[in-house]
Amino acid sequence: MFLFPRSKNRPFHFGPFPLETLKRNSMVYGQEAKRPAVLLSGPDEEQTGLGGVSSAYQRLFSQFKEGTAAPKTAPLPMDLGPRAADLKGAAYFLDASMAGICEIPASAWTHPPEGAAHQHALVILLEHARLPEQSNLAFSWIGKSAASLHHLRITEIAASIAGHVRNMGFDARVHVAGDPGIDIEKLSVLAGLTVRTGDVVSAPFIGRDFSLAVISMNYAVAVDTPLHASSLKANDLQYWWGKNGAQSGRERRRRNKRASHLSRYPMETVKRVDRPTTLILDDEVPRVPKRAEFFQRALFGDLGAKAQKERGRFAFKTPLSVSLLDLIRALVPRQDGPVASNKAVDVGNPAENTKAIKSLSYYLGADLTGICEIPNYAWYSHRADGSEITPVHKYAIVMLIDQGYETMEGASGDDWMSGAQSMRGYLRGAEIAGLMGQMLRKKGISSRAQTNADSEVLQIPLILWAGLGELSRIGELVLNPFVGPRFKSVVLTTDLPLIADKPIDFGLQTFCGSCMKCARECPCDAIPFGDKVMFNGYEIWKPDVERCTRYRVTNPKGSACGRCMKTCPINKVVDADGAYLTRVASWMGINAMALKPLMVPIATWLDDKLGNGMRNPVKKWWFDHEIIDGISVDPPKGTNQRDIDPDRQVDAAKQKMAYYPANVMPAPDQQDLKPIDRKAAVKAGQLLERPSEALLRHQSGGA
Ligand code: SF4
Ligand code: SF4
C-alpha cells in the first residue's frame, strides 16, 4: 500500500468515491416507484456575462441529446456487468463525479419517448466546482451563471455517452434539468447515487451541491441497488485515507485549500527561467503554413492513398471517439466572432485579469494554465486553404487538459482508447477556450479559441513560453513536471491585458538526455536515440514526424497512438494519493538537475522495475470496437497488446530518421499532392547543425 499506488487495484469504473463500500437498501426501490414523477427545473438563463454565453453552448450540445442509432448492434457480451463498466467508465473518463444505473419504473416518466421503449437509465452526478474567492474578478465574471455552467458540462458528458450508446446500435436519449419527460432525482435515488430525505436528495461525500443527468436507453446493462440512508454519514476515517483505493478526503481537502488561480499541481514551486531550456534562434524560426503540417499532408495525399483514406477516421473510429468528434465539430463556428464595441470597465488591470483568467480556466475544467506573449513565429503563415494569417493578438492563454492517468494505465497507448483520449481532451479544451473567448468578446476584447479542429497558432512554442513544460525527447512535445506528456492543449489568443509567465526548468534536458524509454517503446521507431539537433531554429530531439504520422493514421490494431505518453516515466500521479515509491521516482524525475545525470538511469531503472508503462487490466473499462461503415464491430485486425520491453537496445548511429525542413515544404496554397521524398529527407537529417555549432554561428553573426 505504501509502495504502490493505492488505487492500482481499484477498477476505474468504480469512480473516485468509494460508492461500492456503502450499505444498500433494495426496499427503497418500492418506495420510490410509488412516488409520482416530479420534474427538475433547469437553471435560469442569464443573458449577461458567462451565463448568456453558456446558454448558446447549451443549445449546441442539446442537438446531441437524441439521434439515430447505428443500424446494427455491436458485438457485446451477454454478461451485463462489463456493459455497465463500459458506460460508467465512459462517465468517469469524462469527469463525472458519480455514475449509477437503474431500471426505469413507469412512475418515473411524465412523457415516455416515442419509438423503442427505454428500460434502463445511466444516471450521472457532477459535483459543482469550487467558486473563485470573492476578491477574485472571476467571481463576478461567473456571477449567477454557475448553475448554467454546470448544466452545460453535464449535458456535454451525457450527450457524449448517449452518442456512444447510439453508435453501438441502441436508442439513447439525454434528460437534464428543465427537460420534460422523466423524474431525474427519482432515478438518481434508484441508481444508488443519492438518498432522499423528505423531498430533498443528497449524495454521500458531496451533499447537495451537484447537477444530475440521465441517459435513458433500450440497452440492457447491470443495475445498481439504491443506497441505505446511513450512507450519508460515510465521511469517516477510512474515507479520509482513501477507502478501497478511492480518492481520499485528504486529497480533496488539499485541492480545495489551494488558491483558485493555482492549479491542483504545485507549479509555483518549479524553477522559472528567462528563456526555454532549449535554444531557440528566434530570428531563424520560419513561420510555416498549415499545408506543411503532416496531418494536413496526409489529408492531401502526400503520404499515399492509404494514409489519405485513413486520415478521415484514424482517431475517430470507435463508438465513443466518433461521438466526441460530433460535439467538437459543432463548437468550431463559435471559436471566433464579433467583438462588442464598448470595452468593459472591469478588465483594465493586468494582474487582476491574469489571476481571474487562471481561476476561470480551472473553474471550467482546465488542468494547467499558463500565459505568454505570442512570438511571431508561433502563428502559422497560411491556413490550409492557402489564405494568409495575420498575427492579431498579443497574448496566449495556454491550457492543458490531462488525458486521464487511470485510463492510460489500462491502455497500451496504441490500442482502441488512444483516439478517444485525444478527442476528450480536445472537446474539453474547445469548450473551455470557446466559453472564455466569447465572454471576452462580449466585454469588447478581441479573442479567439485556437483548437485542434481549427488553430491559427502552433501550440508547442506557446506551451514552452507559457511555462508549462520543457521540450522532451519525444520531440515535438512539451513535457510538464506533474502530468508528463499526458495532456492535450488548447489556446485562447487575446488582447486582454495580462502578465506573462516565465518558462520553466525542471531538469528535463538532463533527464531525457539519459532516459530513452519513449524511444525504446515507440512502435515505429520515430523517436531519436541520438542527440539533439537544430531544426527550423529550434534545438530539439527531432522525431521522424512522417513515420509517426503514418503510424498514427494507419494503425490497423488501434486508433491513433500515444504510446510515448503512456510509457514516459514522468506520466504519473503526484498527489496525496500517489504511492510513496512512485512519488520518490517522480521526485527524482523532476529534480534531475540536482541529482546529476548519473541518477537518471537509476530513476528509469526503478520506473521499469515498478512496472510503469505496463498495462493494468484492472483499469480497462472499454470494449475494443471499431466502427466500419457506420457499424461497431470487433476490429478485424485485432488489438495492439503491448507492454514494455526494457531489454530493447537500438544503435543510435543506425537509426534512419527523415527530416523535412521548411525549404522542402509544400507551397502554402498547394491544393494538389506533393509526394514526400524520404530518401532526400534522410539525407537532410545528416546535414543538420548541432545546437552548439548553431549558437556559435549565430553569436558570430553568421546566417
Ligand atoms: Fe511513436 Fe506513437 Fe509517440 Fe508517434 S505517438 S512518436 S508513433 S509512440
Ligand atoms: Fe524524456 Fe524518458 Fe519521457 Fe522520453 S520517456 S520524454 S526520454 S523522460
Side-chain angles (χ1 to χ4, degrees):
M1 144 177 194
F2 293 108
L3 298 184
F4 299 98
R6 277 178 284 135
S7 62
K8 206 113 188 156
N9 297 322
R10 178 179 181 79
F12 180 69
H13 67 273
F14 280 16
F17 292 97
L19 292 179
E20 74 286 358
T21 64
L22 302 180
K23 197 170 166 193
R24 305 276 162 165
N25 180 3
S26 56
M27 306 293 285
V28 172
Y29 198 90
Q31 294 158 13
E32 281 293 319
K34 283 188 213 142
R35 290 178 66 95
V38 177
L39 297 181
L40 265 186
S41 51
D44 293 338
E45 289 217 351
E46 194 199 0
Q47 290 310 316
T48 57
L50 271 169
V53 172
S54 73
S55 40
Y57 277 71
Q58 184 70 33
R59 283 192 289 279
L60 274 184
F61 288 158
S62 291
Q63 300 169 55
F64 302 99
K65 282 184 184 169
E66 52 192 335
T68 309
K72 261 180 132 177
T73 55
L76 290 158
M78 295 305 288
D79 182 352
L80 303 187
R83 297 181 182 199
D86 175 69
L87 291 190
K88 289 183 182 177
Y92 292 125
F93 174 61
L94 293 165
D95 300 317
S97 309
M98 295 180 179
I101 296 170
C102 64
E103 286 185 3
I104 307 175
S107 68
W109 292 107
T110 58
H111 303 82
E114 287 172 14
H118 290 188
Q119 287 113 353
H120 285 80
L122 170 70
V123 185
I124 298 166
L125 184 150
L126 182 72
E127 183 181 16
H128 292 166
R130 180 175 55 121
L131 276 169
E133 303 79 2
Q134 287 195 19
S135 58
N136 187 311
L137 189 55
F139 184 85
S140 61
W141 288 350
I142 295 165
K144 292 182 191 150
S145 53
S148 59
L149 290 169
H150 297 128
H151 190 61
L152 175 69
R153 168 61 70 81
I154 203 160
T155 307
E156 173 236 289
I157 298 173
S160 303
I161 299 172
H164 168 64
V165 175
R166 289 194 293 267
N167 290 336
M168 289 196 294
F170 298 91
D171 208 36
R173 194 193 192 292
V174 172
H175 311 262
V176 290
D179 287 348
I182 208 159
D183 185 336
I184 295 174
E185 286 193 340
K186 180 193 292 241
L187 295 181
S188 75
V189 175
L190 296 180
L193 300 184
T194 63
V195 172
R196 190 184 293 281
T197 316
D199 285 336
V200 175
V201 298
S202 309
F205 313 108
I206 290 177
R208 283 285 309 143
D209 208 11
F210 57 80
S211 297
L212 291 167
V214 163
I215 298 150
S216 66
M217 56 201 175
N218 65 344
Y219 176 40
V221 282
V223 298
D224 295 289
T225 307
L227 293 171
H228 190 274
S230 64
S231 59
L232 291 183
K233 294 183 186 134
N235 298 18
D236 56 13
L237 203 60
Q238 288 186 355
Y239 160 70
W240 193 247
W241 281 92
K243 194 172 189 176
N244 246 19
Q247 189 182 84
S248 69
R250 287 179 309 141
E251 173 58 15
R252 274 165 63 77
R253 190 183 70 159
R254 184 192 71 81
R255 291 185 190 185
N256 286 334
K257 276 176 71 178
R258 285 176 64 74
S260 70
H261 66 282
L262 300 174
S263 82
R264 77 180 68 157
Y265 304 105
M267 283 297 290
E268 69 278 9
T269 63
V270 181
K271 182 180 163 192
R272 298 276 161 176
V273 286
D274 290 334
R275 290 190 59 88
T277 51
T278 40
L279 177 66
I280 304 176
L281 299 175
D282 303 77
D283 54 345
E284 293 187 13
V285 181
R287 280 182 66 198
V288 294
K290 288 207 84 167
R291 176 66 179 84
E293 198 258 323
F294 261 87
F295 283 117
Q296 283 294 328
R297 297 196 72 173
L299 206 54
F300 278 97
D302 299 0
L303 271 64
K306 189 175 175 197
Q308 186 175 27
K309 180 167 168 266
E310 289 295 305
R311 171 61 180 79
R313 65 177 212 118
F314 77 107
F316 13 92
K317 53 184 178 181
T318 64
L320 182 56
S321 57
V322 168
S323 176
L324 294 166
L325 180 70
D326 288 341
L327 272 70
I328 292 172
R329 285 190 171 146
L331 294 181
V332 174
R334 301 206 81 86
Q335 287 185 207
D336 204 353
V339 181
S341 47
N342 292 331
K343 199 175 266 188
V345 290
D346 65 348
V347 290
N349 183 319
E352 282 186 13
N353 291 344
T354 301
K355 224 172 174 183
I357 275 292
K358 289 186 177 178
S359 294
L360 181 60
S361 76
Y362 297 132
Y363 182 78
L364 293 174
D367 290 299
L368 286 148
T369 302
I371 293 168
C372 67
E373 288 195 21
I374 308 174
N376 212 37
Y377 54 76
W379 293 92
Y380 282 110
S381 62
H382 297 78
R383 297 178 187 85
D385 63 6
S387 59
E388 205 169 324
I389 294 173
T390 309
V392 276
H393 299 133
K394 183 171 180 189
Y395 292 104
I397 299 161
V398 187
M399 293 167 276
L400 308 186
I401 312 295
D402 189 336
Q403 292 199 52
Y405 176 73
E406 290 193 71
T407 292
M408 193 80 260
E409 282 298 275
S412 70
D414 62 344
D415 57 20
W416 296 97
M417 183 40 63
S418 181
Q421 282 190 284
S422 301
M423 293 303 117
R424 170 192 164 275
Y426 290 141
L427 170 60
R428 192 57 54 73
E431 187 181 336
I432 297 168
L435 285 165
M436 289 166 71
Q438 203 164 333
M439 180 201 77
L440 290 176
R441 290 194 297 274
K442 282 178 87 169
K443 289 181 175 292
I445 308 285
S446 177
S447 307
R448 185 190 195 276
Q450 313 280 0
T451 72
N452 83 305
D454 180 18
S455 178
E456 295 186 347
V457 292
L458 291 118
Q459 312 228 338
I460 289 168
L462 299 178
I463 305 171
L464 267 183
W465 281 106
L468 292 172
E470 290 185 59
L471 265 184
S472 69
R473 181 177 290 277
I474 298 170
E476 295 179 3
L477 195 139
V478 173
L479 201 148
N480 176 273
F482 299 103
V483 297
R486 198 189 60 238
F487 61 80
K488 290 293 179 198
S489 59
V490 70
V491 170
L492 179 68
T493 56
T494 182
D495 281 337
L496 179 73
L498 291 166
I499 295 175
D501 291 295
K502 280 181 154 193
I504 57 170
D505 178 358
F506 63 102
L508 187 69
Q509 303 313 303
T510 310
F511 199 94
C512 286
S514 296
C515 166
M516 308 276 169
K517 198 163 172 178
C518 53
R520 189 187 81 197
E521 300 299 334
C522 171
C524 65
D525 225 5
I527 300 174
F529 284 83
D531 295 332
K532 287 184 272 191
V533 293
M534 286 306 288
F535 186 83
N536 287 349
Y538 289 97
E539 173 189 2
I540 186 171
W541 276 287
K542 180 66 186 152
D544 190 329
V545 181
E546 178 217 328
R547 220 184 244 161
C548 167
T549 308
R550 196 182 290 284
Y551 182 75
R552 285 156 88 181
V553 169
T554 63
N555 177 2
K557 296 184 180 181
S559 171
C561 177
R563 200 161 155 70
C564 41
M565 165 182 84
K566 150 91 184 175
T567 53
C568 173
I570 303 176
N571 163 33
K572 292 276 163 36
V573 169
V574 190
D575 62 23
D577 291 342
Y580 294 106
L581 214 46
T582 302
R583 284 152 72 182
V584 168
S586 291
W587 182 87
M588 288 169 84
I590 60 176
N591 291 282
M593 196 128 99
L595 289 167
K596 313 275 187 246
L598 185 66
M599 291 297 285
V600 179
I602 299 173
T604 52
W605 171 85
L606 179 59
D607 192 74
D608 279 343
K609 284 288 164 208
L610 287 170
N612 292 324
M614 307 278 282
R615 285 165 300 157
N616 180 353
V618 170
K619 301 293 181 186
K620 184 171 186 282
W621 49 267
W622 60 93
F623 295 124
D624 291 325
H625 285 151
E626 179 176 4
I627 293 191
I628 298 180
D629 297 330
I631 295 166
S632 297
V633 298
D634 287 325
K637 298 265 170 66
T639 300
N640 286 316
Q641 311 276 358
R642 296 181 208 270
D643 287 311
I644 54 171
D645 184 2
D647 297 328
R648 182 170 178 245
Q649 304 275 349
V650 170
D651 181 353
K654 290 192 181 145
Q655 199 184 18
K656 282 211 168 106
M657 309 293 278
Y659 299 135
Y660 299 85
N663 61 347
V664 297
M665 286 173 184
D669 56 353
Q670 184 153 1
Q671 296 299 302
D672 57 344
L673 91 154
K674 177 179 167 72
I676 50 144
D677 182 347
R678 188 166 171 92
K679 264 193 186 164
V682 171
K683 262 195 189 156
Q686 289 154 4
L687 303 175
L688 292 174
E689 267 183 312
R690 303 265 148 230
S692 52
E693 295 165 351
L695 187 60
L696 267 180
R697 173 183 55 73
H698 196 258
Q699 283 170 343
S700 61

